[in-house]
Amino acid sequence: MAPSSEQLLALYRTMTLIRRTEEQLARAHQMGLVPGPCHTYVGEEAIATGVCANLRRDDVVFSTHRGHGHALAKGVSAREVAAELFGKATGCSQGRGGSMHLFAPETGLMGTSGIVGPSILQGAGAGYSFKLLASDRVSVAFFGDGAVSNGAFHEGLNLAAIWDLPVIFVCEDNMYATEVPFREATPNQNVAERASVSYGMNALTVDGNDVLAVYQAAERAVAHARAGKGPSLIEFKTYRTRPHAEGMRDGGYRTAEEIDLWKKRDPISVFKSWLVAEGQADSDAIAAIDDEVKGIVEDAIEFARSSPFPDPATAADFIFSAQE
């Protein structure tokens, strides 16, 4: 079934929330308020939004160093994300994880990681546990094109395929692994083909900047997994319009013309125009969402700034088990 107008507006709201939150976090990083690195998801918001819109709260996702968007789409509050990046005790990882290690199992976010590829194996492991428990829960592993050359990719897909695990492997192909072009890292850039031919897996390639296409592809993959039919891989073609991480160079390895071309395909602007053209929303409805999100993000940043840092006396907490 096609999404309702209400569902379509919810997709727009989530994408906008991710974008506005990250724009403010990038500014905060430039001001020295965010210790450590900050990898933004700007330009790729449609993927996290469309995939997570099909998930239940008890479904789980495993993410990457570029995980703020996945966290927000899965239900982690903007306050908790901002506070975590600021290193504050009110963050989702109590200030101990920072930008690359967001953790909120109560929402199904089972962690983000700066190590390339572990999400694939973790996603398969969660799918295996769901199968053993005879549950209809599903697991989603987000990863970039750089992880495709990692052994974890082949191990995870092979295991999920032979055991028919309820896993959706989501490859966010933004064309670069840090600053290395995907085309220079592998002779076969068709990730979906690798999954279908090598592992007999349900796989397809989708425009990752089209949130409706993302939503519909994920809807089918989730239904496939819940029905016990095994894993799927969806290769989303997309692009990050900001540097690999804040403070790094934007060009040199890619041209300004390429960046500008992809900015014209901005998933939020394109979807906004489509909503109005198709009569799914008017300018007032869009403006109301924009104003709501602006207030949420301003509140989140102020919350993060005013929150306390972790008490130094708790530095050894969560390192060893408290169980006797």
Side-chain angles (χ1 to χ4, degrees):
M1 295 178 62
S4 65
S5 294
E6 182 179 350
Q7 289 173 311
L8 292 171
L9 284 174
L11 294 176
Y12 174 78
R13 181 186 182 279
T14 300
M15 284 198 295
T16 304
L17 177 63
I18 296 170
R19 173 70 58 86
R20 302 303 171 231
T21 299
E22 291 211 298
E23 287 175 341
Q24 291 300 322
L25 290 173
R27 293 189 183 98
H29 185 273
Q30 293 164 4
M31 295 169 64
L33 298 174
V34 175
C38 177
H39 302 77
T40 65
Y41 199 58
V42 174
E44 304 182 25
E45 296 89 350
I47 302 172
T49 297
V51 171
C52 291
N54 286 284
L55 302 178
R56 302 191 311 235
R57 191 175 179 85
D58 64 345
D59 294 324
V60 298
V61 302
F62 297 88
S63 179
T64 69
H65 57 276
R66 201 175 306 282
H68 312 153
H70 306 141
L72 291 166
K74 193 59 175 71
V76 183
S77 72
R79 276 187 165 198
E80 290 177 293
V81 171
E84 187 57 42
L85 265 75
F86 278 50
K88 300 301 184 69
T90 53
C92 61
S93 299
Q94 299 185 26
R96 289 165 163 79
S99 172
M100 293 196 291
H101 300 99
L102 307 174
F103 187 65
E106 65 277 6
T107 69
L109 178 71
M110 301 307 292
T112 67
S113 175
I115 301 174
V116 176
S119 58
I120 300 169
L121 299 176
Q122 293 166 334
Y128 183 49
S129 72
F130 295 157
K131 184 162 186 175
L132 290 177
L133 294 169
S135 167
D136 70 343
R137 296 167 68 188
V138 302
S139 170
V140 176
F142 290 97
F143 55 95
D145 50 275
V148 174
S149 298
N150 192 306
F153 174 81
H154 304 282
E155 295 167 11
L157 264 66
N158 185 64
L159 192 70
I162 60 174
W163 287 345
D164 288 327
L165 302 181
V167 186
I168 296 95
F169 296 103
V170 176
C171 178
E172 298 177 315
D173 179 3
N174 61 19
M175 298 170 57
Y176 296 92
T178 307
E179 296 183 359
V180 178
F182 193 32
R183 65 181 181 275
E184 295 180 7
T186 179
N188 181 7
Q189 299 166 55
N190 190 325
V191 180
E193 181 181 80
R194 295 189 189 195
S196 61
V197 175
S198 299
Y199 302 107
M201 188 178 296
N202 178 49
L204 69 160
T205 302
V206 177
D207 179 359
N209 281 34
D210 181 344
V211 71
L212 191 54
V214 173
Y215 177 89
Q216 292 170 336
E219 181 180 40
R220 293 190 293 271
V222 170
H224 185 85
R226 291 204 202 284
K229 296 180 180 180
S232 298
L233 180 143
I234 313 175
E235 176 188 10
F236 290 113
K237 299 290 188 179
T238 188
Y239 196 85
R240 55 171 172 78
T241 54
R242 294 189 68 85
H244 169 70
E246 294 304 304
M248 293 181 66
R249 64 176 183 166
D250 202 18
Y253 63 97
R254 57 181 185 174
T255 66
E257 291 76 16
E258 180 181 283
I259 298 172
D260 289 340
L261 177 65
W262 279 91
K263 282 184 176 180
K264 292 176 182 177
R265 297 188 56 210
D266 177 75
I268 299 175
S269 298
V270 170
F271 190 53
K272 181 194 294 186
S273 299
W274 182 87
L275 286 171
V276 175
E278 294 295 318
Q280 298 289 346
D282 57 27
S283 57
D284 289 341
I286 297 292
I289 292 174
D290 290 342
D291 288 343
E292 178 199 6
V293 168
K294 180 181 178 182
I296 291 171
V297 175
E298 288 177 349
D299 169 76
I301 297 299
E302 179 55 35
F303 175 78
R305 295 188 71 149
S306 61
S307 291
F309 285 103
D311 184 342
T314 68
D317 287 359
F318 315 118
I319 296 176
F320 301 102
S321 172
Q323 297 179 352
E324 296 182 357

